[in-house]
């Protein structure tokens, strides 16, 4: 039997709620405080908690380092792709600016393009922040200490 059974049981209950709260912060960011950066950190904290309780190797099985590397690039590419899409889409026959979200949806009276654009940009930020936070954690947690434990 594991000596940390209470920590393991409680963390198995908390980690899904932490992730759900992270997605709540992400999707509520249009209407109140929050957004991609805050949600990315919250979701990364759920994986870091998992690593602290179950071990770094188990965390790397759940969220592989290769996925973290791809996520770091994919989030930035999504952000840039939204900006480039706004440049190439016509907006009432006139030139538009980078990240001018009104070009993303033809219904200008309700500014639906603003909602879609912000949602996609914040999703890119979420993916990037989560991936970079996990990459930093994996780098620090996976290093070998310079001083052996006996010399402390």
């Amino acid at each position: 039997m594991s000596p940390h059974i209470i920590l393991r049981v409680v963390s198995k209950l908390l980690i899904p709620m932490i992730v759900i709260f992270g997605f709540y912060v992400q999707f509520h960011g249009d209407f109140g405080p929050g957004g991609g950066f805050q949600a990315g950190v919250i979701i990364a904290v759920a994986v870091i908690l998992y690593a602290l309780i179950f071990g770094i190797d188990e965390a790397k099985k759940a969220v592989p380092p290769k996925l973290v590397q791809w996520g770091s690039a994919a989030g930035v590419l999504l952000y840039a792709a939204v900006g480039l899409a706004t440049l190439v889409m016509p907006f009432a026959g006139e030139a538009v600016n980078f990240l001018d979200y009104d070009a993303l949806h033809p219904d200008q009276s309700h500014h639906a393009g603003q909602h879609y654009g912000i949602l996609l940009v914040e999703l890119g930020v979420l993916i990037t922040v989560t991936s970079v936070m996990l990459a930093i954690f994996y780098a620090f947690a996976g290093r070998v200490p310079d001083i052996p434990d006996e010399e402390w």
Side-chain angles (χ1 to χ4, degrees):
M1 184 181 275
S2 171
H4 305 292
I5 191 75
I6 294 172
L7 285 176
R8 290 175 182 257
V9 169
V10 170
S11 66
K12 283 184 180 182
L13 293 172
L14 281 179
I15 289 171
M17 289 189 283
I18 292 170
V19 172
I20 289 171
F21 180 68
F23 283 119
Y24 168 77
V25 170
Q26 165 70 22
F27 293 112
H28 191 266
D30 293 353
F31 310 110
F37 186 86
Q38 294 88 342
V41 171
I42 291 169
I43 292 172
V45 163
V47 178
I48 292 170
L49 175 64
Y50 184 82
L52 291 174
I53 301 297
F54 296 98
I56 189 73
D57 294 329
E58 290 297 316
K60 286 183 178 180
K61 286 179 189 174
V63 182
K66 202 57 142 172
L67 179 66
V68 169
Q69 289 176 343
W70 280 95
S72 299
V76 174
L77 288 174
L78 177 61
Y79 190 103
V82 172
L84 291 175
T86 60
L87 284 176
V88 299
M89 298 178 88
F91 176 64
E94 61 185 55
V96 293
N97 296 322
F98 188 72
L99 293 176
D100 185 3
Y101 303 131
D102 282 330
L104 294 175
H105 195 274
D107 181 16
Q108 301 304 321
S109 61
H110 293 98
H111 297 286
Q114 293 286 326
H115 182 71
Y116 295 142
I118 290 171
L119 189 67
L120 289 172
V121 163
E122 291 293 333
L123 184 63
V125 172
L126 167 84
I127 293 168
T128 302
V129 169
T130 302
S131 299
V132 170
M133 291 293 293
L134 289 177
I136 292 170
F137 175 75
Y138 286 168
F140 281 118
R143 71 178 181 85
V144 178
D146 295 337
I147 301 173
D149 287 338
E150 295 82 30
E151 293 182 19
W152 284 96

